[in-house]
Amino acid sequence: MYSYEYPRPALTVDVVIFSLRESRLQVLLVQRAEPPFAGMWALPGGFVNMDETLEEAALREMEEETGLKQAYLEQLYTYGEIGRDPRGRVVSVAYYALIPADARIRSEGGSDARQAGWFSAQALPALAFDHAEIIAYALRRLRYKLEYTAACFELLPDEFTLSQIQHTYEMILGEKLDKRNFRRRIQQAGIIEPTPHLRGGEGRPARLYRYRSDAVAEVKARRLFP
Amino acid sequence: MYSYEYPRPALTVDVVIFSLRESRLQVLLVQRAEPPFAGMWALPGGFVNMDETLEEAALREMEEETGLKQAYLEQLYTYGEIGRDPRGRVVSVAYYALIPADARIRSEGGSDARQAGWFSAQALPALAFDHAEIIAYALRRLRYKLEYTAACFELLPDEFTLSQIQHTYEMILGEKLDKRNFRRRIQQAGIIEPTPHLRGGEGRPARLYRYRSDAVAEVKARRLFP
DNA sequence: CCAAAAGTGTTTGCTCTACACCCATGG
DNA sequence: CCATGGGTGTAGAGCAAACACTTTTGG
């Protein structure tokens, strides 16, 4: 049934790393030093080693670029079009990662001494390979995920204000939400709890909340048919 | 950045083929002739050739077992655990396919002269590799998909009665639905249209409907927060 | 005429949405 | 005292859920 004599496609992982920075949803990209696509920006990624799982490979790539050893990580899709890499047959398993707004990230490029940078998900530079397609799909999945799970909290710091959550939603979904309705719903959902802390700044100080890790935060989808 | 000297994992596809048969949701399996797992049942699958995309490979595997050249096919997940195949490092891209209840399927095993058979998704035999996990996930995705898209029609014949749709939903979701509410909702959704035909049998003949291919059948999810 | 499946409306409760003003703090 | 963001309640509309009987055919 299986044989080991066939030529094999090369197998890589690519990671779409999302974070909230400068009040925007941003994506981490690296600049390619060599052809093909030299000088263009691309997703962090690379070969899957023989002794690591796909997820381990994705985490390794993420750590090389950000210094972070863990984050919310989810497999996105596997890209296997014939001509997607001009150098040969390369199949790539794409992942996306969410990292908290306050995470301390190694600012300069990782081990490869490649240039790395954050870009607004709404305004990406020209991208190598099929990476524009991958990011577009990751963004769709993130929006979608946000609509029926509590994935949002993976992007927020440990403690946050209600307005911060709302802004996160507005940023990612790309629409304004009603403040009173939003607050009522999120409080009734029972997935956050108040902390004793307030956060000052301009205007009236705001209550800080935290995510309840015991929360069940899946919502039943509205069915097409009942 | 990339190199071509590394050893490469082998790359395969596996396909979970669903169909409605004998008033049940069934899955097509093949019996393994050789070790490992000789005699156990497994998903149809095999190597990805260098000149075919992942989807082409999945379609080829499906055709080998069923004789069908096309079907609804969707990528499910990519499995890359280290020990999932005892013979070495094998990464598998899983797909699932939906084939219509009335499709004429080559009854006997495909080109490999392997034994093939249909099994109720609720009562599977012992399965080779991690295929039980793959099928469980495919079933979850199918349920999920059914709740917010019109994927159901991929499993039905071209013309069908309202009761047939309802039974399909009940079968896959595993719960009884109210007949009047179901019929009202599906008619209002505007995704099916009546044909001039009736279907006889026991009891009063039933109107046959067909799926409107121009239908927009995504439903907006109920958000966790508005 | 009997069995079997098809077909058909209404009421009630709940959820979603729209909407405007006062509060607490820092400068 | 003023600017800034934080915090709060209600009324109306639309949607979802529960519920039982009549109709048409074949045997």
Side-chain angles (χ1 to χ4, degrees):
Chain A
M1 178 179 179
Y2 289 176
S3 152
Y4 289 88
E5 306 314 316
Y6 289 105
R8 299 172 176 185
L11 188 66
T12 62
V13 293
D14 289 308
V15 192
V16 185
I17 302 171
F18 287 115
S19 190
L20 300 174
R21 304 170 65 84
E22 301 159 1
S23 297
R24 282 198 147 89
L25 182 69
Q26 302 204 328
V27 178
L28 185 66
L29 300 175
V30 296
Q31 195 165 28
R32 289 183 56 77
E34 294 138 36
F37 304 108
M40 289 178 81
W41 294 87
L43 292 170
F47 275 93
V48 177
N49 296 329
M50 290 298 273
D51 60 349
E52 65 185 358
T53 66
L54 300 171
E55 188 166 320
E56 284 164 0
L59 280 169
R60 176 174 53 75
E61 292 295 335
M62 194 180 73
E63 194 194 339
E64 285 174 10
E65 299 305 331
T66 64
L68 298 174
K69 282 191 170 42
Q70 60 170 28
Y72 178 85
L73 188 73
E74 185 173 311
Q75 197 187 96
L76 190 61
Y77 196 78
T78 300
Y79 292 84
E81 294 305 305
I82 302 291
R84 58 179 297 278
D85 188 318
R87 291 162 302 181
R89 185 74 200 281
V90 179
V91 170
S92 181
V93 184
Y95 280 78
Y96 73 95
L98 306 180
I99 63 188
D102 61 344
R104 262 285 136 259
I105 288 162
R106 182 162 55 213
S107 52
E108 109 171 43
S111 49
D112 307 280
R114 287 178 288 189
Q115 188 75 22
W118 290 94
F119 293 83
S120 162
Q122 267 56 270
L124 294 165
L127 287 157
F129 307 104
D130 50 3
H131 290 184
E133 180 190 346
I134 296 176
I135 295 175
Y137 184 51
L139 196 52
R140 230 158 63 221
R141 274 273 282 275
L142 178 59
R143 287 211 176 102
Y144 205 75
K145 185 129 196 127
L146 222 58
E147 289 192 340
Y148 62 95
T149 71
C152 171
F153 300 105
E154 305 290 346
L155 287 164
L156 289 168
D158 278 352
E159 302 198 344
F160 43 78
T161 67
L162 295 181
S163 295
Q164 266 181 296
I165 313 179
Q166 187 178 346
H167 291 145
T168 304
Y169 271 84
E170 290 175 342
M171 201 180 313
I172 299 177
L173 299 178
E175 56 183 300
K176 291 289 282 180
L177 303 173
D178 180 86
K179 185 160 69 160
R180 279 169 296 185
N181 292 338
F182 185 88
R183 290 162 104 94
R184 183 174 349 106
R185 279 260 307 253
I186 200 165
Q187 303 244 39
Q188 281 176 1
I191 59 177
I192 57 173
E193 58 190 6
T195 70
H197 313 131
L198 295 177
R199 192 188 62 172
E202 278 191 291
R204 174 174 169 178
R207 171 71 52 193
L208 285 165
Y209 290 80
R210 79 167 73 90
Y211 179 58
R212 294 179 51 169
S213 51
D214 60 336
V216 184
E218 286 272 342
V219 103
K220 196 151 187 56
R222 170 183 292 143
R223 290 206 190 138
L224 194 48
F225 317 120
Chain B
M1 176 179 180
Y2 290 173
S3 151
Y4 288 87
E5 305 314 317
Y6 289 105
R8 299 172 175 185
L11 188 66
T12 63
V13 292
D14 288 308
V15 192
V16 185
I17 302 172
F18 287 114
S19 190
L20 300 174
R21 304 171 66 85
E22 301 159 1
S23 297
R24 283 198 148 90
L25 182 69
Q26 302 204 328
V27 178
L28 185 67
L29 300 175
V30 296
Q31 196 165 28
R32 290 183 56 78
E34 294 137 38
F37 303 108
M40 289 178 80
W41 294 86
L43 292 170
F47 275 94
V48 178
N49 295 329
M50 290 299 273
D51 60 350
E52 66 185 359
T53 65
L54 301 171
E55 188 165 319
E56 284 163 0
L59 280 169
R60 176 174 52 73
E61 292 295 335
M62 192 180 73
E63 194 195 338
E64 284 174 11
E65 299 306 332
T66 64
L68 297 173
K69 280 190 170 45
Q70 59 170 27
Y72 179 84
L73 188 73
E74 186 174 310
Q75 197 187 97
L76 189 62
Y77 196 77
T78 300
Y79 293 83
E81 295 304 305
I82 303 290
R84 60 180 294 280
D85 188 318
R87 292 163 303 181
R89 184 73 199 280
V90 180
V91 170
S92 182
V93 185
Y95 280 79
Y96 73 95
L98 305 180
I99 63 188
D102 62 343
R104 262 285 138 258
I105 288 162
R106 182 164 52 214
S107 51
E108 109 171 46
S111 48
D112 306 280
R114 287 177 288 187
Q115 188 75 22
W118 290 95
F119 291 84
S120 162
Q122 267 59 275
L124 294 166
L127 287 157
F129 306 106
D130 50 2
H131 291 184
E133 181 190 345
I134 296 177
I135 296 175
Y137 184 51
L139 196 53
R140 230 158 63 219
R141 272 274 280 275
L142 178 59
R143 287 210 176 103
Y144 205 75
K145 184 128 197 129
L146 222 59
E147 289 193 340
Y148 63 94
T149 71
C152 172
F153 300 105
E154 305 290 346
L155 286 165
L156 289 168
D158 277 353
E159 302 197 344
F160 43 78
T161 67
L162 296 183
S163 296
Q164 266 182 296
I165 314 179
Q166 189 179 344
H167 291 145
T168 304
Y169 271 85
E170 290 176 342
M171 201 181 312
I172 300 176
L173 300 179
E175 56 183 299
K176 292 288 283 177
L177 304 173
D178 180 85
K179 185 157 71 157
R180 282 168 294 186
N181 291 338
F182 185 88
R183 289 162 105 94
R184 183 174 348 104
R185 278 253 316 248
I186 199 165
Q187 302 244 39
Q188 281 175 1
I191 59 177
I192 58 173
E193 58 190 5
T195 70
H197 312 131
L198 294 177
R199 194 188 59 172
E202 277 191 293
R204 174 172 170 179
R207 171 71 52 193
L208 285 165
Y209 290 80
R210 80 166 73 89
Y211 179 59
R212 294 179 50 167
S213 50
D214 60 335
V216 185
E218 286 272 344
V219 101
K220 198 152 186 56
R222 171 182 292 140
R223 289 204 190 139
L224 195 49
F225 318 119

